[in-house]
Amino acid sequence: MDSPLDSLRQEVAALADRLAALESRGSETPTTPRGRTSVDALDPETFWALHGLQSRLAAHPETAEGAVMLVGALRLPGGGDVVWQQAVGTDGLIDTEWTAQAATLAALGHPVRIELLRHILAGTRTTGELAALDDLGTTGQLHHHLRQLVAAGWVRQSGRGSYEVPAARVVPLLAVIAGAER
């Protein structure tokens, strides 16, 4: 039979192992033995949004198995505030076909289009201004890439020869970019 001191040593060793695992994983979320996220083990100051989301999951049948949320509030470099929140229950999300999203995601798969989006968000909006930027190709190539972004919904024309990223796409776009960081 273990003495109280042996039990305490085992508990401290287990906590040290958990802490080391958390530190090696960065900001990834720890899970319980059943694979569920253990939000209680996370610092509420750092993971305030996750605490809020998880506290609401059980209240809605479509989020009982979990949810994914995009949320953001920012001021664009060219002026204007954007606030956005989108939540999707994960029940069935992984099982559904994702092919309908392929074209939208593929539009982000070209370096020139990513740069166009960055410049448009930063306030460079007219085709003349965009054509003057280095490394974006010829005027014909520029129009081709802009058409691809418009077709995918990442950009819309805001006037003749002027483009903008719709407010509803700003936070999802930035979330994709942030999610692609390694």
Side-chain angles (χ1 to χ4, degrees):
M1 182 152 162
D2 289 339
S3 72
L5 186 57
D6 289 336
S7 294
L8 184 59
R9 284 184 180 131
Q10 289 174 350
E11 287 180 21
V12 168
L15 285 172
D17 290 343
R18 284 184 65 199
L19 178 60
L22 285 172
E23 289 175 341
S24 70
R25 289 168 41 179
S27 63
E28 292 180 30
T29 56
T31 56
T32 65
R34 292 184 313 267
R36 297 272 186 181
T37 301
S38 176
V39 73
D40 297 331
L42 302 174
D43 174 28
E45 287 296 313
T46 303
F47 293 96
W48 54 270
L50 184 58
H51 276 267
L53 173 64
Q54 199 147 36
S55 71
R56 300 171 201 270
L57 292 179
H60 304 285
E62 65 274 6
T63 61
E65 292 299 315
V68 175
M69 179 177 240
L70 299 174
V71 61
L74 65 135
R75 174 158 292 148
L76 294 172
D81 294 331
V82 175
V83 293
W84 183 255
Q85 175 177 309
Q86 177 182 355
V88 178
T90 57
D91 187 29
L93 183 61
I94 294 172
D95 297 329
T96 61
E97 288 288 327
W98 292 357
T99 55
Q101 288 77 15
T104 303
L105 295 171
L108 299 177
H110 195 285
V112 170
R113 289 195 282 269
I114 290 289
E115 276 302 294
L116 280 170
L117 286 165
R118 187 175 68 81
H119 286 291
I120 293 168
L121 276 177
T124 306
R125 295 201 168 102
T126 68
T127 52
E129 293 170 330
L130 293 166
L133 297 170
D134 292 335
D135 300 327
L136 294 184
T138 66
T139 304
Q141 291 168 331
L142 174 65
H143 285 287
H144 166 76
H145 291 301
L146 286 168
R147 278 193 305 274
Q148 294 292 314
L149 291 170
V150 168
W154 292 110
V155 171
R156 70 175 171 214
Q157 273 196 286
S158 57
R160 185 170 180 191
S162 184
Y163 296 87
E164 67 183 5
V165 176
R169 294 306 239 162
V170 172
V171 172
L173 173 62
L174 295 175
V176 168
I177 296 299
E181 291 284 326
R182 289 183 177 199

